[in-house]
Amino acid sequence: MAARVNYSVQNTLFLLNPLNYSINAKTTHFKTGINFSKNLMFPRKLRRPTFCTCAISNNDLQSSEAAETFVLTTPLYYVNAPPHMGSAYTTIAADAIARFQRLLGKKVIFVTGTDEHGEKIAASAAAAGSTPSEHCDVISQAYKTLWKDLEITHDKFIRTTDPKHEGIVKEFYSRVLAKGDIYRADYEGLYCVNCEEYKDEKELLDNNCCPTHLKPCIERKEDNYFFALSKYQKQLEENLTQNPKFVQPPFRLNEVQSWIKSGLKDFSISRASVDWGIPVPNDNKQTIYVWFDALLGYISALSAENEQPDLQTAVSSGWPASLHLIGKDILRFHAVYWPAMLMSAGVDLPKKVFGHGFLTKDGMKMGKSLGNTLEPNELVHNFGSDAVRYFFLREVEFGSDGDYSEERFINIVNAHLANTIGNLLNRTLGLLKKNCQSTLVVDSAVAAEGNALKDTIEKLVEKARIHYENLSLSSACEAVLEIGNAGNAYMDENAPWTRFKQGGAASEAAAKDLVIILEAMRIVAIALSPVAPSFCWRIYEQLGYSKDHFNTVTWSGTKWGGLKGGQVMAQPKPVFARIENKTELEDEAATKKPVKSKQKKPQAQVAAEA
């Protein structure tokens, strides 16, 4: 029966284009459209393996108007130590959001960078036997290298030691001073060096320990400059009342409202005991407080590289930010201090501040003292960027705390990327190669006429879009994964391998089924690309598209109907290599008879296969 079906396919190919077909050429790449449908037996135009474009330009999405600008930021990471997984997590999430917004056709300005002034930096540099400047150069470069390895597509990387940043900080300080919101006074209190902040005794643990760093705060008395935060209490309350989505998730808003209602105190914005920082205008004996300095990096980053630093020019280059992504430990600075500073300077407030949770490892808070830190460089090296990005965005509900364990990491990534999506693509392309010479028999729009799977996928894609827009990244991943689950169920229910053997109408239906499943895979490749870009590119490449096409596709490309009859698929190969679990390998080795050899057994390949 198999020989009869193949002969039928070969005759169909010959009828469509006898000049381009050789019945004896087993490895021929066919340049014609294969079509079992009687109505489409003679295609209007023979298709070569150069493909139609599903990408929609920004003009299609935004009409004739200029593309909307979307500015988002990560924190400017403190360079007292190399990047850790918490920093990587925030930046991965920001990158996924940036990539999604670009798919919508928006002009994205994605800002990240490093916060390089303050007491801790000077202390870390001294401990390492280097100058603060040298220390900052090394650690800042470590962040840039990790962001590259994680495929972070930032548009701006600001360092607070950049001269343009210093100019804007001084101008901003002078503007707030002119408003009458800066005054000089003595201050005595409990100071956390790690937070770079004076603390109220009521928020400290036993022995005056900082609740975040679990280290005792020190008594400190200084003659500093202060910002009149208390002056803006009513305005801050009104802002949250009128704009309840300013702080997200909603339970973080409750925290901020509680802080404000308890009464705001003016805070010190200079340090007399810290040399490593930006000098206070007209007072070189003091440096500007690290938070009053660093927060302005979000604005100074918008300045062009070679232009004279100017606050108004920077503001007009994209401010206000659409979204600040931060960890919950720095929520007070971003949702209380920062808005008040901007109000004082007459600058618009950012549109949204989103505070996410902490990461834990094996159910315990990570810490160097416990020896359970999670090194992002090691994770990327061992498992690849797609696996790292996917796991943390899929398995940690954005906004809440989340836990990492290696076993769970491996199980999730294997189940979702290698099996549900990767294996479905691989076996579908295998069947297409065997029965249709890797060529689509009909347009996907025609193949899916009256098909319930198409409707299901369209609903799931819309669900994913809404979740992305609401920053529900885990739910967006889940919606896309459901497309893969639906495709697998469809494959198993219709069993095209059996129908190909039956020949005739059953074989024609089976060929259409493969087109439908591959169209689902094309949609997955676009919809999951904000989360796992290289993995999705490999899927797209298997469908025969170029890298340029993948790089220019937009969310409109998730609309059903992208694949065309006659399109030639690439030869099937795994798009994600299954990660071998160490426990599984050890169990497998234990069941085998020992072999006398002095050579060490090579370690399993765990990086994502290109």
Side-chain angles (χ1 to χ4, degrees):
M1 181 63 77
R4 211 175 86 189
V5 173
N6 288 337
Y7 181 74
S8 174
V9 171
Q10 290 162 353
N11 281 339
T12 304
L13 285 165
F14 182 79
L15 287 170
L16 288 174
N17 194 353
L19 297 178
N20 282 346
Y21 181 70
S22 169
I23 199 165
N24 296 318
K26 296 181 180 179
T27 59
T28 301
H29 288 270
F30 298 99
K31 298 183 179 181
T32 112
I34 310 176
N35 193 335
F36 291 111
S37 171
K38 293 179 181 178
N39 295 331
L40 297 175
M41 182 61 75
F42 299 100
R44 57 187 179 275
K45 183 177 180 181
L46 298 178
R47 297 188 184 275
R48 302 178 64 81
T50 53
F51 306 107
C52 65
T53 299
C54 303
I56 307 297
S57 70
N58 288 352
N59 288 337
D60 295 321
L61 292 170
Q62 304 290 338
S63 186
S64 60
E65 299 177 5
E68 179 185 344
T69 299
F70 187 92
V71 179
L72 80 158
T73 72
T74 71
L76 302 192
Y77 300 110
Y78 212 39
V79 297
N80 61 309
H84 52 76
M85 195 58 228
S87 306
Y89 173 63
T90 312
T91 312
I92 291 168
D95 187 67
I97 294 165
R99 288 174 181 269
F100 170 71
Q101 294 293 332
R102 291 189 192 106
L103 285 176
L104 295 182
K106 295 180 184 177
K107 176 189 175 184
V108 172
I109 304 176
F110 173 11
V111 175
T112 187
T114 45
D115 175 7
E116 303 184 8
H117 290 133
E119 189 172 351
K120 274 196 298 184
I121 306 301
S124 296
S130 65
T131 67
S133 179
E134 291 169 342
H135 174 84
C136 291
D137 288 343
V138 170
I139 303 299
S140 183
Q141 185 57 49
Y143 275 94
K144 290 181 178 180
T145 300
L146 178 59
W147 292 172
K148 182 178 180 181
D149 292 342
L150 283 169
E151 301 185 78
I152 305 300
T153 56
H154 55 277
D155 300 286
K156 303 281 188 178
F157 190 102
I158 184 66
R159 298 179 60 182
T160 59
T161 50
D162 285 352
K164 70 174 183 179
H165 174 75
E166 180 173 340
I168 285 175
V169 170
K170 288 183 174 180
E171 185 180 349
F172 186 92
Y173 183 99
S174 298
R175 187 183 289 195
V176 175
L177 179 66
K179 184 74 176 290
D181 291 339
I182 294 176
Y183 62 92
R184 190 166 186 167
D186 288 333
Y187 189 87
E188 184 174 4
L190 292 166
Y191 188 76
C192 175
V193 175
N194 289 284
C195 288
E196 302 269 12
E197 181 187 24
Y198 283 100
K199 299 286 187 180
D200 288 334
E201 287 189 42
K202 63 184 178 182
E203 64 181 299
L204 299 178
L205 305 176
D206 292 341
N207 299 319
N208 292 328
C209 282
C210 169
T212 301
H213 297 98
L214 304 179
K215 292 181 180 180
C217 296
I218 59 175
E219 287 277 357
R220 179 174 286 184
K221 182 178 181 179
E222 282 190 344
D223 172 21
N224 294 148
Y225 292 95
F226 283 75
F227 172 68
L229 177 64
S230 58
K231 177 180 174 181
Y232 292 92
Q233 177 154 341
K234 185 177 180 181
Q235 285 178 252
L236 290 169
E237 288 177 343
E238 290 175 349
N239 175 55
L240 295 181
T241 301
Q242 296 167 5
N243 183 15
K245 292 186 177 181
F246 178 72
V247 176
Q248 293 289 312
F251 55 87
R252 301 275 182 237
L253 173 63
N254 296 336
E255 292 178 34
V256 175
Q257 287 175 322
S258 177
W259 290 334
I260 296 174
K261 287 179 181 178
S262 66
L264 297 178
K265 295 181 179 180
D266 298 349
F267 68 95
S268 170
I269 59 169
S270 73
R271 295 291 181 267
S273 59
V274 180
D275 294 330
W276 181 243
I278 298 173
V280 170
N282 302 319
D283 189 346
N284 289 331
K285 293 181 180 180
Q286 300 216 29
T287 54
I288 294 175
Y289 173 47
V290 63
W291 279 104
F292 201 91
D293 164 3
L295 288 164
L296 282 158
Y298 300 139
I299 293 178
S300 65
L302 300 176
S303 301
E305 287 299 321
N306 300 318
E307 71 181 13
Q308 191 72 18
D310 176 77
L311 179 59
Q312 190 54 49
T313 302
V315 165
S316 64
S317 299
W319 192 261
S322 307
L323 175 66
H324 285 322
L325 284 187
I326 58 166
K328 63 181 181 180
D329 55 326
I330 54 175
L331 181 62
R332 187 196 304 260
F333 297 104
H334 287 78
V336 181
Y337 292 15
W338 180 225
M341 289 163 53
L342 292 169
M343 289 173 179
S344 175
V347 178
D348 289 340
L349 273 56
K351 296 176 183 177
K352 185 180 295 185
V353 177
F354 190 100
H356 65 74
F358 289 154
L359 297 178
T360 58
K361 184 179 180 185
D362 299 318
M364 298 176 65
K365 184 178 178 180
M366 288 184 280
K368 291 182 180 178
S369 60
L370 296 174
N372 70 338
T373 55
L374 190 58
E375 297 298 333
N377 288 294
E378 185 177 330
L379 274 182
V380 175
H381 175 74
N382 288 341
F383 303 118
S385 64
D386 286 310
V388 174
R389 290 172 64 109
Y390 181 82
F391 174 81
F392 285 103
L393 296 185
R394 169 62 181 82
E395 287 303 294
V396 179
E397 184 180 350
F398 199 48
S400 302
D401 294 348
D403 187 65
Y404 169 89
S405 75
E406 184 169 301
E407 182 178 7
R408 185 156 155 259
F409 179 98
I410 292 172
N411 289 341
I412 288 293
V413 169
N414 280 343
H416 296 184
L417 301 188
N419 295 347
T420 299
I421 297 174
N423 188 51
L424 176 59
L425 175 67
N426 195 254
R427 62 178 178 151
T428 306
L429 288 174
L431 285 169
L432 191 75
K433 178 183 179 182
K434 180 179 179 180
N435 298 282
C436 304
Q437 289 76 46
S438 295
T439 308
L440 303 185
V441 301
V442 70
D443 293 359
S444 56
V446 175
E449 287 176 354
N451 191 292
L453 180 62
K454 171 180 175 289
D455 297 334
T456 298
I457 290 173
E458 287 178 337
K459 290 176 183 177
L460 288 170
V461 166
E462 178 60 13
K463 198 185 220 181
R465 184 189 65 78
I466 293 170
H467 285 315
Y468 275 127
E469 289 188 336
N470 292 334
L471 308 184
S472 301
L473 302 179
S474 176
S475 298
C477 291
E478 179 62 27
V480 178
L481 185 69
E482 282 301 310
I483 297 176
N485 288 331
N488 277 293
Y490 185 86
M491 172 77 89
D492 294 340
E493 288 169 9
N494 289 278
W497 52 88
T498 299
R499 298 168 86 179
F500 274 122
K501 293 177 182 178
Q502 294 171 358
S507 183
E508 294 177 17
K512 287 184 178 180
D513 285 339
L514 299 186
V515 176
I516 290 169
I517 295 170
L518 290 174
E519 174 71 1
M521 290 291 93
R522 185 191 67 81
I523 291 170
V524 164
I526 299 172
L528 195 61
S529 64
V531 174
S534 288
F535 171 68
C536 291
W537 153 238
R538 291 193 292 272
I539 295 173
Y540 226 60
E541 185 181 32
Q542 290 274 284
L543 300 177
Y545 292 101
S546 69
K547 191 63 178 286
D548 286 344
H549 183 280
F550 181 72
N551 289 340
T552 57
V553 76
T554 69
W555 190 262
S556 294
T558 59
K559 184 178 179 181
W560 189 279
L563 294 179
K564 304 299 177 182
Q567 240 176 269
V568 180
M569 304 291 98
Q571 295 302 298
K573 64 179 180 180
V575 290
F576 191 90
R578 179 180 169 81
I579 300 171
E580 298 297 340
N581 192 310
K582 290 180 182 178
T583 304
E584 292 176 357
L585 289 175
E586 289 169 359
D587 291 343
E588 183 181 343
T591 61
K592 294 181 179 179
K593 293 181 180 180
V595 178
K596 293 182 180 180
S597 175
K598 294 182 179 179
Q599 293 183 342
K600 291 183 179 180
K601 184 177 179 179
Q603 294 182 343
Q605 287 289 327
V606 295
E609 188 174 287

mmCIF file of all heavy atoms in Angstrom, residues 288-320:
data_model
loop_
_atom_site.group_PDB
_atom_site.id
_atom_site.type_symbol
_atom_site.label_atom_id
_atom_site.label_comp_id
_atom_site.label_asym_id
_atom_site.label_seq_id
_atom_site.Cartn_x
_atom_site.Cartn_y
_atom_site.Cartn_z
ATOM 1 N N ILE A 288 26.262 63.491 45.967
ATOM 2 C CA ILE A 288 24.818 63.250 45.872
ATOM 3 C C ILE A 288 24.503 61.807 46.245
ATOM 4 O O ILE A 288 25.171 60.868 45.799
ATOM 5 C CB ILE A 288 24.318 63.583 44.456
ATOM 6 C CG1 ILE A 288 24.464 65.095 44.206
ATOM 7 C CG2 ILE A 288 22.867 63.156 44.267
ATOM 8 C CD1 ILE A 288 24.113 65.540 42.806
ATOM 9 N N TYR A 289 23.503 61.640 47.068
ATOM 10 C CA TYR A 289 23.033 60.334 47.532
ATOM 11 C C TYR A 289 22.788 59.413 46.351
ATOM 12 O O TYR A 289 22.202 59.797 45.335
ATOM 13 C CB TYR A 289 21.758 60.564 48.350
ATOM 14 C CG TYR A 289 21.008 59.346 48.788
ATOM 15 C CD1 TYR A 289 21.645 58.251 49.365
ATOM 16 C CD2 TYR A 289 19.619 59.297 48.672
ATOM 17 C CE1 TYR A 289 20.922 57.158 49.805
ATOM 18 C CE2 TYR A 289 18.883 58.211 49.102
ATOM 19 C CZ TYR A 289 19.548 57.133 49.662
ATOM 20 O OH TYR A 289 18.840 56.048 50.099
ATOM 21 N N VAL A 290 23.227 58.162 46.503
ATOM 22 C CA VAL A 290 23.236 57.227 45.383
ATOM 23 C C VAL A 290 21.860 57.063 44.725
ATOM 24 O O VAL A 290 21.754 56.949 43.509
ATOM 25 C CB VAL A 290 23.816 55.868 45.833
ATOM 26 C CG1 VAL A 290 22.953 55.224 46.893
ATOM 27 C CG2 VAL A 290 23.998 54.938 44.649
ATOM 28 N N TRP A 291 20.764 57.079 45.521
ATOM 29 C CA TRP A 291 19.451 56.907 44.907
ATOM 30 C C TRP A 291 19.010 58.160 44.153
ATOM 31 O O TRP A 291 18.368 58.056 43.101
ATOM 32 C CB TRP A 291 18.413 56.527 45.969
ATOM 33 C CG TRP A 291 18.465 55.059 46.289
ATOM 34 C CD1 TRP A 291 18.995 54.466 47.392
ATOM 35 C CD2 TRP A 291 17.982 53.999 45.458
ATOM 36 N NE1 TRP A 291 18.877 53.105 47.309
ATOM 37 C CE2 TRP A 291 18.257 52.785 46.130
ATOM 38 C CE3 TRP A 291 17.345 53.946 44.222
ATOM 39 C CZ2 TRP A 291 17.917 51.549 45.612
ATOM 40 C CZ3 TRP A 291 17.004 52.705 43.695
ATOM 41 C CH2 TRP A 291 17.292 51.522 44.389
ATOM 42 N N PHE A 292 19.316 59.329 44.674
ATOM 43 C CA PHE A 292 18.984 60.566 43.971
ATOM 44 C C PHE A 292 19.770 60.655 42.666
ATOM 45 O O PHE A 292 19.335 61.271 41.696
ATOM 46 C CB PHE A 292 19.311 61.773 44.869
ATOM 47 C CG PHE A 292 18.574 63.027 44.497
ATOM 48 C CD1 PHE A 292 17.345 63.326 45.075
ATOM 49 C CD2 PHE A 292 19.101 63.915 43.575
ATOM 50 C CE1 PHE A 292 16.663 64.489 44.732
ATOM 51 C CE2 PHE A 292 18.426 65.080 43.232
ATOM 52 C CZ PHE A 292 17.201 65.364 43.808
ATOM 53 N N ASP A 293 20.892 60.001 42.633
ATOM 54 C CA ASP A 293 21.757 59.914 41.452
ATOM 55 C C ASP A 293 21.232 58.847 40.480
ATOM 56 O O ASP A 293 20.908 59.123 39.314
ATOM 57 C CB ASP A 293 23.172 59.603 41.952
ATOM 58 C CG ASP A 293 24.142 59.089 40.897
ATOM 59 O OD1 ASP A 293 23.774 59.002 39.716
ATOM 60 O OD2 ASP A 293 25.279 58.773 41.281
ATOM 61 N N ALA A 294 21.093 57.615 40.964
ATOM 62 C CA ALA A 294 20.822 56.478 40.077
ATOM 63 C C ALA A 294 19.471 56.543 39.387
ATOM 64 O O ALA A 294 19.344 56.175 38.216
ATOM 65 C CB ALA A 294 20.941 55.175 40.869
ATOM 66 N N LEU A 295 18.435 56.999 40.094
ATOM 67 C CA LEU A 295 17.105 57.045 39.492
ATOM 68 C C LEU A 295 17.074 57.903 38.230
ATOM 69 O O LEU A 295 16.315 57.632 37.299
ATOM 70 C CB LEU A 295 16.091 57.563 40.512
ATOM 71 C CG LEU A 295 15.745 56.587 41.649
ATOM 72 C CD1 LEU A 295 15.059 57.312 42.799
ATOM 73 C CD2 LEU A 295 14.869 55.452 41.128
ATOM 74 N N LEU A 296 17.931 58.904 38.206
ATOM 75 C CA LEU A 296 17.967 59.786 37.031
ATOM 76 C C LEU A 296 18.612 59.123 35.819
ATOM 77 O O LEU A 296 18.551 59.662 34.714
ATOM 78 C CB LEU A 296 18.686 61.087 37.384
ATOM 79 C CG LEU A 296 17.801 62.045 38.177
ATOM 80 C CD1 LEU A 296 18.626 63.042 38.951
ATOM 81 C CD2 LEU A 296 16.828 62.751 37.244
ATOM 82 N N GLY A 297 19.201 57.942 36.019
ATOM 83 C CA GLY A 297 19.745 57.199 34.880
ATOM 84 C C GLY A 297 18.676 56.831 33.870
ATOM 85 O O GLY A 297 18.960 56.682 32.674
ATOM 86 N N TYR A 298 17.435 56.687 34.330
ATOM 87 C CA TYR A 298 16.346 56.368 33.402
ATOM 88 C C TYR A 298 16.131 57.490 32.388
ATOM 89 O O TYR A 298 15.699 57.240 31.262
ATOM 90 C CB TYR A 298 15.044 56.139 34.177
ATOM 91 C CG TYR A 298 15.097 55.012 35.175
ATOM 92 C CD1 TYR A 298 14.509 55.142 36.431
ATOM 93 C CD2 TYR A 298 15.728 53.814 34.869
ATOM 94 C CE1 TYR A 298 14.540 54.102 37.348
ATOM 95 C CE2 TYR A 298 15.770 52.767 35.789
ATOM 96 C CZ TYR A 298 15.182 52.915 37.022
ATOM 97 O OH TYR A 298 15.216 51.889 37.933
ATOM 98 N N ILE A 299 16.413 58.721 32.816
ATOM 99 C CA ILE A 299 16.267 59.871 31.913
ATOM 100 C C ILE A 299 17.555 60.144 31.146
ATOM 101 O O ILE A 299 17.531 60.347 29.930
ATOM 102 C CB ILE A 299 15.834 61.119 32.715
ATOM 103 C CG1 ILE A 299 14.417 60.918 33.259
ATOM 104 C CG2 ILE A 299 15.895 62.372 31.833
ATOM 105 C CD1 ILE A 299 13.906 62.064 34.113
ATOM 106 N N SER A 300 18.699 60.111 31.838
ATOM 107 C CA SER A 300 19.965 60.404 31.147
ATOM 108 C C SER A 300 20.260 59.374 30.061
ATOM 109 O O SER A 300 20.920 59.686 29.069
ATOM 110 C CB SER A 300 21.122 60.461 32.152
ATOM 111 O OG SER A 300 21.347 59.213 32.765
ATOM 112 N N ALA A 301 19.746 58.160 30.215
ATOM 113 C CA ALA A 301 19.950 57.122 29.200
ATOM 114 C C ALA A 301 19.336 57.508 27.858
ATOM 115 O O ALA A 301 19.769 57.028 26.801
ATOM 116 C CB ALA A 301 19.350 55.799 29.672
ATOM 117 N N LEU A 302 18.328 58.365 27.890
ATOM 118 C CA LEU A 302 17.628 58.752 26.658
ATOM 119 C C LEU A 302 18.417 59.753 25.825
ATOM 120 O O LEU A 302 18.083 59.992 24.670
ATOM 121 C CB LEU A 302 16.257 59.333 27.008
ATOM 122 C CG LEU A 302 15.308 58.388 27.774
ATOM 123 C CD1 LEU A 302 14.024 59.125 28.146
ATOM 124 C CD2 LEU A 302 15.003 57.146 26.950
ATOM 125 N N SER A 303 19.471 60.334 26.414
ATOM 126 C CA SER A 303 20.293 61.290 25.667
ATOM 127 C C SER A 303 21.062 60.580 24.565
ATOM 128 O O SER A 303 21.488 59.430 24.722
ATOM 129 C CB SER A 303 21.297 61.966 26.610
ATOM 130 O OG SER A 303 20.646 62.638 27.653
ATOM 131 N N ALA A 304 21.254 61.266 23.456
ATOM 132 C CA ALA A 304 22.081 60.720 22.379
ATOM 133 C C ALA A 304 23.529 60.686 22.839
ATOM 134 O O ALA A 304 23.954 61.468 23.700
ATOM 135 C CB ALA A 304 21.936 61.567 21.123
ATOM 136 N N GLU A 305 24.306 59.778 22.262
ATOM 137 C CA GLU A 305 25.670 59.540 22.717
ATOM 138 C C GLU A 305 26.532 60.798 22.705
ATOM 139 O O GLU A 305 27.253 61.067 23.647
ATOM 140 C CB GLU A 305 26.324 58.468 21.835
ATOM 141 C CG GLU A 305 25.793 57.063 22.093
ATOM 142 C CD GLU A 305 26.021 56.583 23.512
ATOM 143 O OE1 GLU A 305 27.102 56.875 24.066
ATOM 144 O OE2 GLU A 305 25.126 55.937 24.080
ATOM 145 N N ASN A 306 26.478 61.558 21.646
ATOM 146 C CA ASN A 306 27.424 62.660 21.485
ATOM 147 C C ASN A 306 26.841 64.045 21.749
ATOM 148 O O ASN A 306 27.496 65.045 21.486
ATOM 149 C CB ASN A 306 28.011 62.624 20.053
ATOM 150 C CG ASN A 306 28.749 61.328 19.773
ATOM 151 O OD1 ASN A 306 29.488 60.836 20.621
ATOM 152 N ND2 ASN A 306 28.546 60.770 18.587
ATOM 153 N N GLU A 307 25.611 64.107 22.277
ATOM 154 C CA GLU A 307 25.021 65.415 22.496
ATOM 155 C C GLU A 307 25.365 65.957 23.882
ATOM 156 O O GLU A 307 25.663 65.210 24.808
ATOM 157 C CB GLU A 307 23.510 65.359 22.319
ATOM 158 C CG GLU A 307 22.766 64.635 23.417
ATOM 159 C CD GLU A 307 21.258 64.586 23.160
ATOM 160 O OE1 GLU A 307 20.837 64.892 22.027
ATOM 161 O OE2 GLU A 307 20.525 64.233 24.092
ATOM 162 N N GLN A 308 25.343 67.257 23.990
ATOM 163 C CA GLN A 308 25.601 67.911 25.273
ATOM 164 C C GLN A 308 24.503 67.520 26.253
ATOM 165 O O GLN A 308 23.321 67.583 25.920
ATOM 166 C CB GLN A 308 25.613 69.438 25.083
ATOM 167 C CG GLN A 308 26.131 70.218 26.282
ATOM 168 C CD GLN A 308 27.635 70.078 26.465
ATOM 169 O OE1 GLN A 308 28.330 69.690 25.538
ATOM 170 N NE2 GLN A 308 28.110 70.365 27.670
ATOM 171 N N PRO A 309 24.859 67.070 27.471
ATOM 172 C CA PRO A 309 23.822 66.650 28.419
ATOM 173 C C PRO A 309 22.881 67.790 28.773
ATOM 174 O O PRO A 309 23.313 68.876 29.154
ATOM 175 C CB PRO A 309 24.632 66.180 29.637
ATOM 176 C CG PRO A 309 25.977 66.808 29.505
ATOM 177 C CD PRO A 309 26.213 66.934 28.040
ATOM 178 N N ASP A 310 21.603 67.535 28.610
ATOM 179 C CA ASP A 310 20.589 68.554 28.872
ATOM 180 C C ASP A 310 19.316 67.835 29.305
ATOM 181 O O ASP A 310 18.824 66.935 28.608
ATOM 182 C CB ASP A 310 20.330 69.367 27.605
ATOM 183 C CG ASP A 310 19.211 70.373 27.786
ATOM 184 O OD1 ASP A 310 19.444 71.416 28.405
ATOM 185 O OD2 ASP A 310 18.094 70.077 27.305
ATOM 186 N N LEU A 311 18.790 68.210 30.458
ATOM 187 C CA LEU A 311 17.640 67.519 31.026
ATOM 188 C C LEU A 311 16.431 67.564 30.096
ATOM 189 O O LEU A 311 15.793 66.537 29.843
ATOM 190 C CB LEU A 311 17.292 68.135 32.385
ATOM 191 C CG LEU A 311 16.083 67.546 33.114
ATOM 192 C CD1 LEU A 311 16.263 66.064 33.387
ATOM 193 C CD2 LEU A 311 15.831 68.307 34.416
ATOM 194 N N GLN A 312 16.114 68.720 29.563
ATOM 195 C CA GLN A 312 14.931 68.853 28.730
ATOM 196 C C GLN A 312 15.059 68.057 27.436
ATOM 197 O O GLN A 312 14.102 67.422 26.981
ATOM 198 C CB GLN A 312 14.654 70.327 28.405
ATOM 199 C CG GLN A 312 13.302 70.567 27.751
ATOM 200 C CD GLN A 312 12.152 69.981 28.560
ATOM 201 O OE1 GLN A 312 12.056 70.197 29.765
ATOM 202 N NE2 GLN A 312 11.284 69.234 27.895
ATOM 203 N N THR A 313 16.259 68.057 26.859
ATOM 204 C CA THR A 313 16.480 67.282 25.632
ATOM 205 C C THR A 313 16.302 65.800 25.894
ATOM 206 O O THR A 313 15.686 65.070 25.098
ATOM 207 C CB THR A 313 17.892 67.548 25.077
ATOM 208 O OG1 THR A 313 18.044 68.944 24.826
ATOM 209 C CG2 THR A 313 18.119 66.774 23.787
ATOM 210 N N ALA A 314 16.835 65.332 27.032
ATOM 211 C CA ALA A 314 16.693 63.919 27.388
ATOM 212 C C ALA A 314 15.231 63.558 27.598
ATOM 213 O O ALA A 314 14.754 62.527 27.108
ATOM 214 C CB ALA A 314 17.507 63.609 28.640
ATOM 215 N N VAL A 315 14.503 64.411 28.301
ATOM 216 C CA VAL A 315 13.087 64.167 28.566
ATOM 217 C C VAL A 315 12.305 64.096 27.262
ATOM 218 O O VAL A 315 11.429 63.243 27.077
ATOM 219 C CB VAL A 315 12.518 65.268 29.488
ATOM 220 C CG1 VAL A 315 10.988 65.247 29.489
ATOM 221 C CG2 VAL A 315 13.043 65.090 30.912
ATOM 222 N N SER A 316 12.622 64.960 26.320
ATOM 223 C CA SER A 316 11.887 65.004 25.045
ATOM 224 C C SER A 316 12.239 63.835 24.131
ATOM 225 O O SER A 316 11.621 63.657 23.084
ATOM 226 C CB SER A 316 12.156 66.326 24.324
ATOM 227 O OG SER A 316 13.523 66.443 23.970
ATOM 228 N N SER A 317 13.227 63.021 24.521
ATOM 229 C CA SER A 317 13.661 61.896 23.676
ATOM 230 C C SER A 317 12.946 60.593 23.998
ATOM 231 O O SER A 317 13.347 59.541 23.507
ATOM 232 C CB SER A 317 15.177 61.695 23.838
ATOM 233 O OG SER A 317 15.884 62.843 23.427
ATOM 234 N N GLY A 318 11.895 60.655 24.810
ATOM 235 C CA GLY A 318 11.139 59.432 25.068
ATOM 236 C C GLY A 318 10.432 59.376 26.409
ATOM 237 O O GLY A 318 9.587 58.505 26.631
ATOM 238 N N TRP A 319 10.775 60.263 27.314
ATOM 239 C CA TRP A 319 10.136 60.255 28.619
ATOM 240 C C TRP A 319 8.686 60.739 28.511
ATOM 241 O O TRP A 319 8.404 61.563 27.640
ATOM 242 C CB TRP A 319 10.930 61.160 29.585
ATOM 243 C CG TRP A 319 10.513 60.982 31.010
ATOM 244 C CD1 TRP A 319 9.662 61.769 31.732
ATOM 245 C CD2 TRP A 319 10.901 59.915 31.867
ATOM 246 N NE1 TRP A 319 9.496 61.269 32.984
ATOM 247 C CE2 TRP A 319 10.244 60.120 33.097
ATOM 248 C CE3 TRP A 319 11.727 58.797 31.723
ATOM 249 C CZ2 TRP A 319 10.402 59.252 34.180
ATOM 250 C CZ3 TRP A 319 11.876 57.941 32.790
ATOM 251 C CH2 TRP A 319 11.222 58.177 34.004
ATOM 252 N N PRO A 320 7.717 60.248 29.303
ATOM 253 C CA PRO A 320 7.911 59.379 30.460
ATOM 254 C C PRO A 320 8.030 57.904 30.093
ATOM 255 O O PRO A 320 7.508 57.469 29.066
ATOM 256 C CB PRO A 320 6.635 59.626 31.278
ATOM 257 C CG PRO A 320 5.591 59.927 30.248
ATOM 258 C CD PRO A 320 6.310 60.710 29.181
#
